[in-house]
């Protein structure tokens, strides 16, 4: 199973493990290890020693480092005799052109890498043309390859347009059936400061606190903004039971803010969950197929 390093460090040994003098050997695989801070690495290795676990660090010292202090992934490679294995063969890129381009990018030759990909790149100036090309490229693939292909879009507008064009064709082909419309929530990418300013909030937005705000406005519960008082910089929130409470906007710094929206869903669609939901044991990034 997989979990974040911070979650792993917070877990205590089970009662059963405490009763056993010698814990069964474990292997902990840490992906993107270059993003670990010095403090995290120390805590992880101390815990591994206590639980007799072997730690396998996987990462790239040239990619993103830790936000917090330290670069222990690089330090371990430079200053200790820890066993190190380097992957030098690219298996993700399947054509010689792509492999050569990646090799040049890794060595810092960006201009040469892009020049070598001219046959792989199709450019379009207008948003409509780009979206049409992306949709057409996806739809031209065999069905098996479509299930293994990811379409990336720069903005939500492009994502929506590409999805609309792809689904339109799939519906005509009969791959999507019995379409309905569901209510959903779109996350608003406010900064912590923006969430504390009433003029950024609107009636109808949904607030989900990441920590308890006041009595009745608890962590993980949903509340709709019924009114925004700009003079007092407060919002009046209403929950599913009809109870209303006034909360200062300054308390929303650690809350998620959503805009109500709708989404079309049909038999055959794939849905990606974007939040953890304990009541249904649904995890962020879980993929479902509508049957």
């Amino acid at each position: 199973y997989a979990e974040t390093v911070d979650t792993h460090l917070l877990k205590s040994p089970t009662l059963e493990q405490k009763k056993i003098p010698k814990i069964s050997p474990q292997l902990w695989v840490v992906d993107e290890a270059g993003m670990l801070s010095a403090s995290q690495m120390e805590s992880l290795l101390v815990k591994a020693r206590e639980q007799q676990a072997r730690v396998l660090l996987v990462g790239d010292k040239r990619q993103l480092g830790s936000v917090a202090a330290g670069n222990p992934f690089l330090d371990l490679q430079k200053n200790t005799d820890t066993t190190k294995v380097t992957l030098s063969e690219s298996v993700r890129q399947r054509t010689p052109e792509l492999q050569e381009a990646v090799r040049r990018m890794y060595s810092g030759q960006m201009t040469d890498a892009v020049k070598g990909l001219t046959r792989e790149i199709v450019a379009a100036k207008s948003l409509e043309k780009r979206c049409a090309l992306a949709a057409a490229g996806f739809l031209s693939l065999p069905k098996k390859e479509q299930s293994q292909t990811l379409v990336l879009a720069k903005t939500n507008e492009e994502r929506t347009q590409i999805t609309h064009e792809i689904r339109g064709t799939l519906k005509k082909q009969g791959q999507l059936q019995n379409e309905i419309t569901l209510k959903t929530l779109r996350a608003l990418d406010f900064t912590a400061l923006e969430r504390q300013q009433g003029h950024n909030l609107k009636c109808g937005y949904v607030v989900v606190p990441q920590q308890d705000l006041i009595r009745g406005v608890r962590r993980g519960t949903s509340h709709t903004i019924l009114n925004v008082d700009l003079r007092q910089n407060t919002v009046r929130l209403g929950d599913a039971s009809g109870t209303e409470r006034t909360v200062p906007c300054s308390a929303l710094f650690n809350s998620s803010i959503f805009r109500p929206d709708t989404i079309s869903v049909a038999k055959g669609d794939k849905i990606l969950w974007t939040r953890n939901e304990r009541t249904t044991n649904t995890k962020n990034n879980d993929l479902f197929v509508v049957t």
Side-chain angles (χ1 to χ4, degrees), residues 247-287:
V247 175
C249 295
S250 59
L252 304 181
F253 72 96
N254 196 27
S255 297
S256 298
I257 312 294
F258 299 89
R259 172 176 57 84
D261 203 349
T262 59
I263 184 174
S264 297
V265 176
K267 178 183 176 181
D269 264 326
K270 291 182 179 178
I271 296 179
L272 186 72
W273 251 241
T274 56
R275 288 181 70 86
N276 295 331
E277 175 54 59
R278 294 183 180 179
T279 57
T280 57
N281 196 29
T282 306
K283 301 289 192 304
N284 181 29
N285 280 331
D286 277 353
L287 184 66

Side-chain angles (χ1 to χ4, degrees), residues 67-88:
V67 175
N71 190 348
F73 185 59
L74 177 60
D75 292 339
L76 284 172
Q77 296 178 62
K78 291 178 62 177
N79 304 315
T80 72
D81 58 356
T82 300
T83 302
K84 180 176 69 173
V85 177
T86 302
L87 300 179
S88 57

Side-chain angles (χ1 to χ4, degrees), residues 82-267:
T82 300
T83 302
K84 180 176 69 173
V85 177
T86 302
L87 300 179
S88 57
E89 180 184 354
S90 172
V91 295
R92 179 175 296 172
Q93 288 72 34
R94 299 182 180 180
T95 66
E97 292 81 8
L98 287 174
Q99 290 177 352
E100 178 62 18
V102 170
R103 186 192 66 77
R104 289 180 176 179
M105 288 179 183
Y106 193 78
S107 61
Q109 304 172 43
M110 292 300 182
T111 302
D112 292 337
V114 174
K115 286 180 179 178
L117 290 174
T118 51
R119 288 188 299 174
E120 307 282 346
I121 298 174
V122 180
K125 292 184 178 181
S126 70
L127 181 144
E128 292 76 13
K129 184 65 174 177
R130 286 199 303 273
C131 293
L133 285 171
F138 176 84
L139 293 166
S140 67
L141 298 173
K143 189 174 181 180
K144 183 178 179 180
E145 288 190 30
Q146 287 181 2
S147 65
Q148 300 172 339
T149 299
L150 181 67
V151 182
L152 300 179
K154 181 180 179 182
T155 64
N156 281 332
E157 184 181 8
E158 289 183 353
R159 176 187 57 78
T160 300
Q161 181 65 28
I162 294 170
T163 302
H164 176 75
E165 295 199 24
I166 291 175
R167 293 186 77 256
T169 300
L170 294 180
K171 282 190 288 185
K172 291 178 182 178
Q173 295 174 349
Q175 296 188 48
L176 301 180
Q177 301 173 356
N178 306 330
E179 186 175 67
I180 62 171
T181 300
L182 299 178
K183 294 180 180 179
T184 187
L185 297 173
R186 298 287 182 193
L188 298 172
D189 296 326
F190 291 146
T191 64
L193 180 60
E194 289 171 335
R195 287 191 289 269
Q196 298 178 70
Q197 299 170 340
H199 64 265
N200 293 317
L201 307 176
K202 295 181 180 180
C203 294
Y205 282 1
V206 175
V207 176
V208 180
Q210 301 305 312
Q211 62 186 35
D212 295 351
L213 301 185
I214 59 175
R215 185 174 181 180
V217 184
R218 300 182 61 80
R219 171 186 176 185
T221 57
S222 298
H223 302 265
T224 302
I225 297 179
L226 304 176
N227 183 63
V228 181
D229 188 331
L230 296 179
R231 295 185 65 182
Q232 299 295 325
N233 198 39
T234 61
V235 290
R236 191 167 77 250
L237 303 178
D239 59 22
S241 68
T243 304
E244 299 181 10
R245 298 175 178 86
T246 298
V247 175
C249 295
S250 59
L252 304 181
F253 72 96
N254 196 27
S255 297
S256 298
I257 312 294
F258 299 89
R259 172 176 57 84
D261 203 349
T262 59
I263 184 174
S264 297
V265 176
K267 178 183 176 181

